[in-house]
Amino acid sequence: MAKESQKRFLLRLDEGLFKRISDAADADGRSINAYIVQVLSKAAPAGNWEQRQLIGRAIPGKELDVKSGLVLVAGIYYRYLLESPEKPDKAAKYTIIESHGNILTLKKI
């Protein structure tokens, strides 16, 4: 990461938490700063709401409406595409592997 794109800030930690972070950073072979950046990056993933909340979610095949091409997920109707060119299997489960706007790509699991 270039220095121009970095932001510095002060972080206050109690000694016990600092020790745990220091030990974890040592075990991971990272500096304390690099370790904290890694932890925060995992905790605050990039992407839109759908990508953060829906990717990896399992959906029963019976929820896929073949006529309309829609599926209800988290209270919202989305268009869906299947990863493989086949008709939806009502007995199967699918996982969301991609999200673009109101279109979800599903993979049979």
Side-chain angles (χ1 to χ4, degrees), residues 35-51:
Y35 182 78
I36 291 172
V37 168
Q38 175 200 24
V39 169
L40 291 175
S41 294
K42 286 181 182 178
N48 62 34
W49 184 87
E50 282 87 3
Q51 290 167 337

Side-chain angles (χ1 to χ4, degrees), residues 14 24 30-31 50 77 79-80 83 89 97 102-103 107:
D14 65 51
R30 298 176 186 268
S31 69
E50 282 87 3
Y77 283 98
R79 290 207 165 284
Y80 68 85
E83 180 189 48
D89 179 353
I97 60 170
N102 68 337
I103 302 172
K107 179 179 181 176

Side-chain angles (χ1 to χ4, degrees), residues 40-84:
L40 291 175
S41 294
K42 286 181 182 178
N48 62 34
W49 184 87
E50 282 87 3
Q51 290 167 337
R52 291 189 310 269
Q53 299 296 318
L54 302 180
I55 302 300
R57 185 179 286 219
I59 300 170
K62 65 183 180 183
E63 298 293 322
L64 305 179
D65 187 335
V66 178
K67 274 186 163 182
S68 67
L70 298 175
V71 61
L72 181 65
V73 181
I76 301 171
Y77 283 98
Y78 292 91
R79 290 207 165 284
Y80 68 85
L81 302 172
L82 297 180
E83 180 189 48
S84 59

